[in-house]
Amino acid sequence: MKNIKRGQALWRRAKKIIPGGSQLLSKRSELFLPEQWPSYFKKAKGVFVWDLDGNKYIDTCASIGASILSYADADVNRAVKRAIDQGNVSTLNAPEEVELAELLCRLHPWAGMVRYARGGGEAMTVAVRIARAYTGKDKIAFCGYHGWHDWYLAANLANDKNLDGHLLPGLMPKGTPRCLAGTAMPFNYNKIEQLEKIVAGNKDIGVIAMEPVRDHEPKDNFLENVRHIADRVGAVLIFDEVTIGWRLMVGGAHLRYGVNPDIAVFAKGMSNGFPMAAIVGRSEVMQAAQDSFISSSSWTDRIGAVAALATIKKMISKKVPRHLEKIGLIIRAGLKELARELGIKLAITGFPQLICLSFEYGPKSQAVHTLFIQEMLKRGFIASSNIDVSYSLKAEHAKKYLGAAEQVFGIIKQAVHDNKVNQLLAGPVAHSKFLRLT
Amino acid sequence: MKNIKRGQALWRRAKKIIPGGSQLLSKRSELFLPEQWPSYFKKAKGVFVWDLDGNKYIDTCASIGASILSYADADVNRAVKRAIDQGNVSTLNAPEEVELAELLCRLHPWAGMVRYARGGGEAMTVAVRIARAYTGKDKIAFCGYHGWHDWYLAANLANDKNLDGHLLPGLMPKGTPRCLAGTAMPFNYNKIEQLEKIVAGNKDIGVIAMEPVRDHEPKDNFLENVRHIADRVGAVLIFDEVTIGWRLMVGGAHLRYGVNPDIAVFAKGMSNGFPMAAIVGRSEVMQAAQDSFISSSSWTDRIGAVAALATIKKMISKKVPRHLEKIGLIIRAGLKELARELGIKLAITGFPQLICLSFEYGPKSQAVHTLFIQEMLKRGFIASSNIDVSYSLKAEHAKKYLGAAEQVFGIIKQAVHDNKVNQLLAGPVAHSKFLRLT
């Protein structure tokens, strides 16, 4: 096992002073490898990460999808550092905000106006505010994962299983005002009848919010039908492109399917890990922002717009989504082949750009998953059940990853056969839920 | 008049593509000098700002208070650029988060845990979520300005005048779910009887949120009495230090008054204009964050913590609050003297670090205010009704500012005497409200 003493020591300090340890649930060490995870990085460049103990890894999670161009991209960093030298704020505004808005509207010809925020969940909340202001109707039908805000967690006030089919099961709505119960109703992807039922039972649906696509392709004109329902009931259709945006093509994934929302929301990948988010919408709808109050000092910082401009321009010029697909196809095909050869029960879903792995060993699944992470770490990989392909992940890294996976699958096969999976784990099984950390 | 063609041309483009033009209401050109404001900056360094037409100004508004060390501070920028070179994100966490949390707890010995966000209003919303999760009670009594989120704007659902005494009158709550009406009730600063009335009439007040101080010193043990009421009714007391924090002393202004909240919220000045916010609280209360879901990718970015560490360390080593007070006292005394000498009806309120000017000419007040901004701009100052003293604003700049103010007060005096204030304006009177921009 690699020496990860410093990282673990700091993580233990962190849990004493930061509730939950990390600001992003998906970066909690216990979700990867409890008591054995490097936890912190000293340096990150390209697909490589160095931990506090000097170990070097290939990171196949791309900061949970936030870094499409890979870490510390030279072009983006150059632009950002220039902006910092010239001052990242003043009482006057940053001109790059306008340039970025114009670029986003060129990429999304159905849209006419743009607002900014600095995070995905926050930007979705801005979009929901605008949509409610525009329609005058408060209720929301939604599909997929949309962050930590009240409007979304409200779904679990009515039924604590409501969010279970939407990426993160078991989200606790504690602290969300109880009067919001019944304001947010979930429907599942490709289940248009569920949305029909919601709008039939609720006359005041003002917002339909969804990820246009995530793991599965739309079937039976699902997106077109959602669009028709939104038009029919007078709801604003919001596409949450925070995760899938920019990966399938430059701009929103919805462009691929030819179905336009009223508002599309971008964050994460659009600025290669620098905090930034954009709410892009039809002018008539977006102008409702002026009937409400939506304003923050931190949204005027220059870095966000500069990083997004540099990132988007590079994604265009380097045809980045095509690269992500190419490498993702290599990894996906390689893993399928290895699993077949070695008899590993591995379900592989998602797009090549955003692969999702699931070991299917019944009650042993989570232990096998943990063993996979542990053994990949030993072999120099920050790996998990999601593979977020980034631009510096080249065929050579994919080959190395598959080489390591072959060894690890061999270990898993033997361990399962010998019923010794837990014995091979150096620490506890990875958490699959929101356990309270102490 | 200075040539501000490029800035105005870009602002007109912005309003076509960004509803309201700016991401921060307080940076809208129409609130300063409609049709005449430079609007955008090319460069900002120290107290100086260069607009798109190459004009150079002394900026006395410090990015609406976000830049306490002044723009592009060499020490903060060096630390941030190093962090960018080493990668600002990865799948692992940034170790500086822990160092910053420990520093914040040292500065606030009553506190034991810290969470982060990237904006002030957002961080207040995190604090409110934690407080509601901890107490299990949804209702909020509040005083002061706290941003754009639902929990706060809900106050104006019950009565659209509820927020009028709290910095920004006329905030429109459109798009805030109507079921939140009655969940947020305002009380005025130093009016303890108003808070007593709220808690007497509502058994389920779980949160008392307030700016510990803003324009006026607390009277008659106001803060102690609020603290007692919070304890008596079992409410979490949140101090919003987004505006006043770090200016009166390093850390929260509440430290000066010896009254501890359960949670204190910081943003803006804590990181010298780089997006960052901290929720600092008692461990028992903060752990309630683990019973809710509060998580965002953008909160894991390394820049925020690095910028805050560098900013706070410099504020400590350079005794920055003392400098702000010294310069603020020079400006405040100078303006008072000038107003007296020239017979200008000028009310000056607030702390020396954060001076508030108000021309008192009845229905002509706003026109006089506009004339002041216009004439100060001609003389090379980005000036408004708020003077936010920053660290690079030295005695020599204060002297220049007072020299310019003397000339401008002379112009105002004559214009008022001749009843020609509006005639002297090159453009419309500044907006004082949230007018829809087209």
Side-chain angles (χ1 to χ4, degrees), chain A residues 10-69:
Chain A
L10 190 58
W11 180 246
R12 285 192 297 272
R13 266 167 66 194
K15 287 188 285 184
K16 288 205 175 74
I17 199 159
I18 296 171
S22 172
Q23 311 305 312
L24 180 72
L25 182 88
S26 307
K27 290 190 181 177
R28 278 193 190 173
S29 301
E30 284 74 7
L31 293 183
F32 294 90
L33 200 59
E35 301 175 20
Q36 308 291 323
W37 194 238
S39 301
Y40 291 95
F41 75 108
K42 186 176 165 59
K43 192 179 155 183
K45 179 75 187 167
V47 289
F48 299 107
V49 172
W50 289 260
D51 71 13
L52 302 189
D53 292 289
N55 301 301
K56 182 182 177 184
Y57 308 94
I58 291 178
D59 183 345
T60 58
C61 304
S63 190
I64 320 298
S67 188
I68 290 181
L69 296 180

Side-chain angles (χ1 to χ4, degrees), chain A residues 20-218:
Chain A
S22 172
Q23 311 305 312
L24 180 72
L25 182 88
S26 307
K27 290 190 181 177
R28 278 193 190 173
S29 301
E30 284 74 7
L31 293 183
F32 294 90
L33 200 59
E35 301 175 20
Q36 308 291 323
W37 194 238
S39 301
Y40 291 95
F41 75 108
K42 186 176 165 59
K43 192 179 155 183
K45 179 75 187 167
V47 289
F48 299 107
V49 172
W50 289 260
D51 71 13
L52 302 189
D53 292 289
N55 301 301
K56 182 182 177 184
Y57 308 94
I58 291 178
D59 183 345
T60 58
C61 304
S63 190
I64 320 298
S67 188
I68 290 181
L69 296 180
S70 304
Y71 304 138
D73 178 81
D75 297 307
V76 178
N77 277 9
R78 193 179 310 116
V80 168
K81 290 197 288 180
R82 196 187 312 126
I84 290 171
D85 284 336
Q86 297 203 314
N88 74 308
V89 288
S90 85
T91 302
L92 303 180
N93 296 282
E96 293 85 357
E97 290 179 2
V98 189
E99 187 187 349
L100 177 61
E102 290 174 342
L103 174 58
L104 288 167
C105 286
R106 276 201 305 279
L107 289 170
H108 301 95
W110 56 270
M113 298 192 101
V114 177
R115 281 291 304 259
Y116 302 115
R118 286 298 177 276
E122 182 190 45
M124 279 301 294
T125 303
V126 170
V128 164
R129 169 72 67 75
I130 292 172
R132 282 171 162 164
Y134 177 73
T135 62
K137 296 186 287 184
D138 291 341
K139 282 193 188 165
I140 299 174
F142 71 88
C143 172
Y145 170 74
H146 306 291
W148 69 275
H149 281 273
D150 284 348
W151 70 265
Y152 180 59
L153 292 197
N156 268 9
L157 290 168
N159 176 344
D160 65 11
K161 301 269 182 292
N162 264 345
L163 293 172
D164 280 7
H166 302 266
L167 187 64
L168 295 177
L171 289 188
M172 285 172 292
K174 220 169 161 184
T176 305
R178 269 157 287 214
C179 65
L180 290 174
T183 56
M185 285 148 284
F187 60 100
N188 284 302
Y189 201 78
N190 278 333
K191 303 280 185 192
I192 197 74
E193 67 280 8
Q194 295 182 1
L195 179 59
E196 285 287 13
K197 201 175 156 193
I198 292 170
V199 300
N202 296 276
K203 295 220 180 307
D204 47 352
I205 297 285
V207 189
I208 299 175
M210 62 183 293
E211 295 183 277
V213 67
R214 188 178 187 110
D215 300 326
H216 310 286
E217 293 278 2

